[in-house]
Amino acid sequence: MAKVILVGDDVALLEGLAQTLLGCGHDVAFAITCVEAAALTGDLPALAVCSADSLLFGGPATTMPLTPGGALIVYGKSHAEKPLLPTKLQRATLAYLVLPLEHHLLIALVQSFENRSRTTGRSNREESGEDCLLEF
């Protein structure tokens, strides 16, 4: 079971994605902005699914809390709107998706990421530190 945080302001889209992810057995949290996501307490998510707008307009001091080895999936409304992200975020980005069109690909990526984390033992790590916060 992967812990996933969905970040964006399209409530209907995120609600549909959350229902699908919950149906697959994943733990899902919501945030409207990256600042709000950084303020969430509890277990850190392994995957963050963020709208391109929330990353671009999050501000330079925001962070995205992820577990060590976590990944970012960025989504937008079309491939033409693919954002130019800072280098640190580009390295952490697993994919850029057009949602809701590619929602099946999102589910496959989350499942694959969870399987790989379990296989490599990353899902069992308890370490935390500055490397688990993506700054942009």
Side-chain angles (χ1 to χ4, degrees):
M1 168 177 79
K3 181 155 173 100
V4 180
I5 186 164
L6 303 174
V7 181
D9 59 0
D10 188 344
V11 178
L13 172 66
L14 297 182
E15 179 71 26
L17 294 175
Q19 288 178 5
T20 304
L21 289 168
L22 287 169
C24 293
H26 300 292
D27 188 12
V28 179
F30 290 99
I32 298 208
T33 65
C34 291
V35 175
E36 185 180 323
L40 292 176
T41 59
D43 291 336
L44 294 175
L47 283 165
V49 180
C50 300
S51 71
D53 292 340
S54 68
L55 291 174
L56 293 175
F57 302 114
T62 59
T63 59
M64 180 58 61
L66 295 174
T67 59
L72 178 66
I73 297 174
V74 180
Y75 71 88
K77 297 187 187 311
S78 74
H79 283 290
E81 296 176 9
K82 188 173 180 179
L84 180 61
L85 299 173
T87 306
K88 190 169 185 176
L89 285 178
Q90 287 178 6
R91 284 191 303 254
T93 300
L94 185 62
Y96 177 81
L97 301 176
V98 175
L99 295 178
L101 183 64
E102 297 176 326
H103 72 279
H104 291 296
L105 184 54
L106 172 66
I107 304 306
L109 284 170
V110 172
Q111 296 285 70
S112 176
F113 182 85
E114 174 61 18
N115 291 339
R116 183 175 290 221
S117 294
R118 197 174 317 120
T119 301
T120 61
R122 287 185 178 173
S123 62
N124 297 328
R125 277 200 224 169
E126 295 294 326
E127 66 188 67
S128 63
E130 290 183 21
D131 289 340
C132 63
L133 292 178
L134 292 176
E135 296 180 9
F136 50 95

